[in-house]
Amino acid sequence: MIIGIPKEIMHDEARVSATPETVGKFVKDGFEVLVEKSAGDGALYHDEDYVKAGAKLVEGAAEVYDRAEIILKVKEPLFNETLGKHEVELMHKGQYLITFIHPASPINHEMVKKLTKQGVTAITLDGIPRISRAQNLDALTSMSTCAGYKGILMAADHMTTFMPQMFTAVGRIEPAKVMVIGVGVAGLQALATAKRLGAITYAADIRPMAAENASSLGAKVTDTGVPAELAVGEGGYAKRLPEDVLVVEREKLNDTIKEMDIVFCSALIPGKVAPIIITEEMVKGMKRGSVIVDISIDQGGNCELTPAGGIEKKHGVTLMGVKNIPGLLPTSSTWMFANNVYNLVKYLVKDGKVNLDRTDEVINKSLVCIDGELVHTGAREAMGL
């Protein structure tokens, strides 16, 4: 089989879906690997190293999409301005696509419909379940680690004050206060990073175990008022809450949010649109100069005002909806991502053919479309199908 590695085209995306190391593994396993020229330059993985590993370099994305049977990408398909075509248009019926698609996010609905109509079989990495046997396939966990670390650094860079307590000749400056909403992998890394930078940390999560984990890192836990039986779903993930319960959660969190210098949002429901936890009214009540980093933006965002893919200031608060934070840490994040994707391809390909056993939890939850049919539960629900 032929694997294609196109260069990512999202603005400021420096990651790539394979390293020379994983290309070498693919070649050893019997795959032919096509790599678009300069695809890895942004992550400091260079063409000559891919060639040494056994890859075949090709001039442009069109050839990669035309020849490959499996396309490995980092981000969802986008419009390629150089070619004047959407990446979906470059794909063909029966081709396999493995990448982060976030199919439930409204901004991706049209693209997902095009993928389905094109006859592409698409697998979304954000759908890989967090179960023991899938740990080494789980790119979402890897990228969440990167996002938690880098997101706090970005927020600190936009603050107008110090993060740690400072003792100066003219007096003491109090440390910043950082709140993490949604204490999964990214949230825990964000708490740990903020703590290392000297901030006072706070946390909120509707799941008791997650809140306990936050407390073990020294964070002050804010009660959400959500009963555990409503909060925790299959596999320990958060469940979607009824609107009246969400209203109570917002009220419980609001007083703490008003005091924060940074609010890091990472509350997600697997395969579904992210819950709105911070409303515009809540933003209006925040400290001037405070920062919201909303890494849930790929699935719609936790803050009502977060700009998808950008940074804006509203009501005196900096709102960060950067969609590719791990891409700002490209060498480390690419190394993690590429190994996750290599393991997933090995998991899916048996005897030289892709084997999609839809009774397998890994495949069932990550499959977006197949044979012209949209099958992803979260996407269908979000589209009202």
Side-chain angles (χ1 to χ4, degrees):
M1 297 189 77
I2 301 175
I3 289 175
I5 312 295
K7 185 172 183 175
E8 297 296 320
I9 60 173
M10 177 177 275
H11 181 64
D12 286 339
E13 179 56 80
R15 289 173 294 174
V16 63
S17 58
T19 63
E21 176 191 358
T22 59
V23 164
K25 292 179 182 178
F26 280 129
V27 171
K28 187 177 179 181
D29 292 339
F31 292 93
E32 182 179 343
V33 183
L34 307 178
V35 177
E36 184 178 353
K37 283 187 176 180
S38 75
D41 282 358
L44 304 183
Y45 298 107
H46 300 299
D47 289 351
E48 57 268 27
D49 298 315
Y50 285 108
V51 172
K52 286 178 185 175
K56 295 180 180 178
L57 292 182
V58 296
E59 281 293 338
E63 185 178 351
V64 175
Y65 284 105
D66 183 56
R67 292 176 56 191
E69 295 160 84
I70 301 175
I71 296 290
L72 303 181
K73 273 181 51 62
V74 179
K75 298 300 293 183
E76 69 271 18
L78 300 166
F79 185 79
N80 188 314
E81 294 180 1
T82 302
L83 297 175
K85 286 185 176 181
H86 199 285
E87 286 180 307
V88 174
E89 295 178 65
L90 300 174
M91 299 181 203
H92 52 262
K93 184 177 180 180
Q95 196 167 45
Y96 296 91
L97 170 68
I98 298 175
T99 187
F100 280 116
I101 297 174
H102 302 288
S105 178
I107 198 170
N108 291 328
H109 287 178
E110 284 307 310
M111 177 268 294
V112 169
K113 290 175 184 176
K114 287 178 183 176
L115 272 175
T116 305
K117 187 177 180 181
Q118 199 81 338
V120 175
T121 297
I123 292 170
T124 185
L125 295 169
D126 54 288
I128 301 294
R130 282 179 176 157
I131 55 178
S132 296
R133 63 187 176 87
Q135 283 184 341
N136 69 346
L137 320 175
D138 188 0
L140 185 59
T141 290
S142 295
M143 296 305 98
S144 294
T145 299
C146 299
Y149 168 78
K150 189 68 172 180
I152 289 295
L153 298 184
M154 291 165 61
D157 195 44
H158 278 80
M159 284 175 57
T160 59
T161 60
F162 291 112
M163 283 282 275
Q165 182 172 256
M166 300 290 284
F167 293 93
T168 77
V170 290
R172 182 179 69 187
I173 298 174
E174 294 298 326
K177 294 179 179 179
V178 176
M179 184 177 199
V180 171
I181 299 175
V183 193
V185 174
L188 287 170
Q189 187 60 238
L191 284 173
T193 303
K195 192 83 171 175
R196 292 185 197 110
L197 292 174
I200 298 173
T201 54
Y202 298 74
D205 198 297
I206 61 176
R207 300 164 296 168
M209 182 60 74
E212 188 177 318
N213 290 339
S215 180
S216 72
L217 286 179
K220 300 177 182 181
V221 176
T222 303
D223 179 27
T224 63
V226 179
E229 61 270 20
L230 287 180
V232 185
E234 182 185 351
Y237 288 105
K239 289 169 66 176
R240 176 171 295 284
L241 298 176
E243 184 59 30
D244 60 327
V245 178
L246 259 177
V247 169
V248 172
E249 181 183 5
R250 291 175 191 136
E251 290 172 352
K252 288 275 190 180
L253 298 180
N254 194 32
D255 285 344
T256 305
I257 287 172
K258 285 179 180 178
E259 301 299 316
M260 295 300 107
D261 297 289
I262 295 172
V263 180
F264 182 95
C265 298
S266 59
L268 291 171
I269 300 160
K272 302 186 186 298
V273 175
I276 297 294
I277 296 171
I278 302 177
T279 63
E280 182 170 7
E281 282 304 308
M282 293 169 73
V283 173
K284 287 179 180 177
M286 291 177 67
K287 290 167 62 174
R288 304 305 90 173
S290 57
V291 181
I292 293 175
V293 182
D294 194 347
I295 73 162
S296 298
I297 194 63
D298 275 325
Q299 288 176 226
N302 291 146
C303 175
E304 188 174 27
L305 297 182
T306 307
I311 301 172
E312 294 179 8
K313 187 170 283 189
K314 293 184 179 178
H315 309 300
V317 176
T318 299
L319 300 154
M320 305 184 71
V322 177
K323 293 190 72 175
N324 60 335
I325 292 175
L328 302 177
L329 199 67
T331 304
S332 293
S333 58
T334 286
W335 183 83
M336 297 170 78
F337 182 91
N339 278 287
N340 290 136
V341 171
Y342 168 75
N343 291 331
L344 180 58
V345 172
K346 282 215 62 163
Y347 185 87
L348 297 176
V349 177
K350 312 294 181 189
D351 300 321
K353 292 183 180 180
V354 177
N355 177 36
L356 297 181
D357 176 4
R358 291 170 65 178
T359 64
D360 181 333
E361 184 180 1
V362 172
I363 294 164
N364 180 264
K365 291 188 174 178
S366 60
L367 189 62
V368 176
C369 52
I370 185 170
D371 297 330
E373 181 186 2
L374 176 60
V375 297
H376 188 274
T377 302
R380 292 183 63 85
E381 180 183 300
M383 293 179 193
L385 300 176

